[in-house]
Structure formats: C-alpha cells, structure tokens
Amino acid sequence: PTTNGMGPQGYNYRKDAQKFIHKMYAIFDATYKTTEGMLIWIDADTFTKKRVTRQFLEKTIGKAPVVHLGRSAINYSETSFMAFNMKSNQALEFLADFKALYENGEVFGYAEWHDGYIFERLLNLHKNHGLKPLNLSPKCEDLNAFGVSPLATFMEHLKGNLKDNPDARQVNSTDGNKPIKIIPKNAVADEVILRNVDANRKL
C-alpha cells in the first residue's frame, strides 16, 4: 500500500505511516540505551514555560508502567507526551509489541496507521492482560489532552495549527526567555536520499 498518506482523494494523515514512524523508531532506539528510570517522549513542538523539576515528574508520573494522555472525543490518545517505566516488564513488553507491529507489517491491517491510533489499540490490548497505565488527562473531552493535564503548568504543546500561529510561539516563559523553534534538516541533500531509496527499492 501507499504509506505516505497520499491516495486518490489526496493526503490523509490517518494513512501516513511514514510521517509518524520516525517518532516511534526514536523511542524504540532509546529503549536499547535506557535500562532504568522513565523513558519520556515529548513532541518537538512543545516548549517549557518554567523549569520542569524532578520533583514534579516524580509526583506526576511516579513509577507507572505506561503514562499517556487519554481523550474521550476521539478514539485514541494524544501521543505528544508518553512515558515508559524501563524497570517495568509490562512497559518493555508493550514497547516490544509496538515495534513488532511495524517490523512485521501488521500496522497496515489497522484502520489508521499513525502512532496515536496504533498506540491506543495496543494499549487496550495490554490493559486486557493486566497493564494499568496512568492517564494524565482522564477528564479531557476535546482533542487537547496536553492542555488539561498537569503538564500544562510547565509546558505548552503547539498542537495542530497553533504551531503556525506566530503569537503562540512568542509566549514568554516565567524567566523571560522565549521558546526555541527547532527546524529539522536532513543530513544529506534530498536528491541523495531519493537516489538511495530508488537503489534500495530494487533490492
């Protein structure tokens, strides 16, 4: 199947596995390098409004095996923030199963291919087998789970069109500093990447 979200009707993010797979493989890679503590993912379009303390994190996420931002307005969590307890076998099994979904192509059997949808389906499966995740936004009735979670005291996620709003980027933190805007850039030219893709496709 086409995995970049492009189809007869145009672009559909729900079928764009390529865009969201980068996030998941960054997390999967980190699991090999992290053997204790909490492995925390925060989307790059998030900035801090004041210093995030260890005390706040320990109080907020504790030692839960999996931490997420649930939503009732849609059938999958907001994955701008996730945390995994690397001392928990339940968390390690969850991450191993998550990676396997991509490795064996099972992800393409789901109705949607982005990380949020896959995360929620897998979360429900593991909950049925005893996983007790921590939902930081149990009362979220819209799409902005980050904004109603305890994280909002310290951080702001420029969700969706917010990242295109200049005013949103200019919100000052409590110490007077402005958030850093990060613009990712490939290490090599686009044409080199395309040539490599073309050459490896033949293999």
Side-chain angles (χ1 to χ4, degrees):
T2 301
T3 59
N4 63 358
M6 295 305 298
Q9 306 302 319
Y11 177 74
N12 179 2
Y13 80 90
R14 300 175 189 276
K15 295 289 187 177
D16 192 347
Q18 291 183 29
K19 176 179 179 180
F20 298 101
I21 199 171
H22 300 288
K23 169 196 284 191
M24 295 317 305
Y25 269 86
I27 293 173
F28 299 152
D29 180 66
T31 63
Y32 294 112
K33 305 170 184 175
T34 310
T35 58
E36 58 184 34
M38 299 296 289
L39 173 60
I40 299 174
W41 171 269
I42 304 176
D43 273 6
D45 53 357
T46 304
F47 66 88
T48 55
K49 297 183 285 188
K50 59 181 179 179
R51 183 176 296 278
V52 180
T53 64
R54 185 185 186 93
Q55 181 181 18
F56 165 74
L57 289 174
E58 289 177 345
K59 180 180 178 181
T60 303
I61 64 180
K63 297 182 179 180
V66 177
V67 183
H68 70 112
L69 299 171
R71 301 183 286 197
S72 59
I74 197 168
N75 62 349
Y76 54 87
S77 295
E78 178 178 332
T79 54
S80 57
F81 180 96
M82 297 178 281
F84 306 93
N85 186 341
M86 302 309 289
K87 284 291 189 181
S88 166
N89 286 333
Q90 288 184 327
L92 296 177
E93 290 170 2
F94 179 88
L95 288 166
D97 284 352
F98 210 152
K99 186 171 185 286
L101 287 175
Y102 288 99
E103 301 281 312
N104 61 26
E106 186 178 341
V107 63
F108 299 116
Y110 286 81
E112 301 180 26
W113 302 342
H114 56 90
D115 62 286
Y117 190 88
I118 306 302
F119 175 91
E120 194 72 23
R121 307 283 85 69
L122 191 61
L123 187 71
N124 289 333
L125 179 64
H126 277 252
K127 283 165 66 176
N128 289 337
H129 289 84
L131 175 67
K132 296 189 184 317
L134 172 61
N135 180 4
L136 293 182
S137 52
K139 297 182 179 180
C140 179
E141 298 179 353
D142 55 22
L143 299 180
N144 188 15
F146 201 110
V148 298
S149 75
L151 303 171
T153 303
F154 290 83
M155 295 174 269
E156 184 165 346
H157 177 219
L158 298 182
K159 181 176 177 58
N161 293 333
L162 279 177
K163 64 176 63 68
D164 298 319
N165 179 1
D167 294 332
R169 293 197 193 103
Q170 298 304 317
V171 177
N172 290 346
S173 63
T174 54
D175 60 3
N177 294 323
K178 294 182 179 180
I180 299 172
K181 179 185 177 185
I182 299 174
I183 303 176
K185 184 176 181 181
N186 291 326
V188 296
D190 289 352
E191 54 268 23
V192 175
I193 295 175
L194 292 173
R195 281 202 303 270
N196 287 339
V197 171
D198 187 53
N200 283 281
R201 185 185 295 132
K202 299 170 184 177
L203 300 177

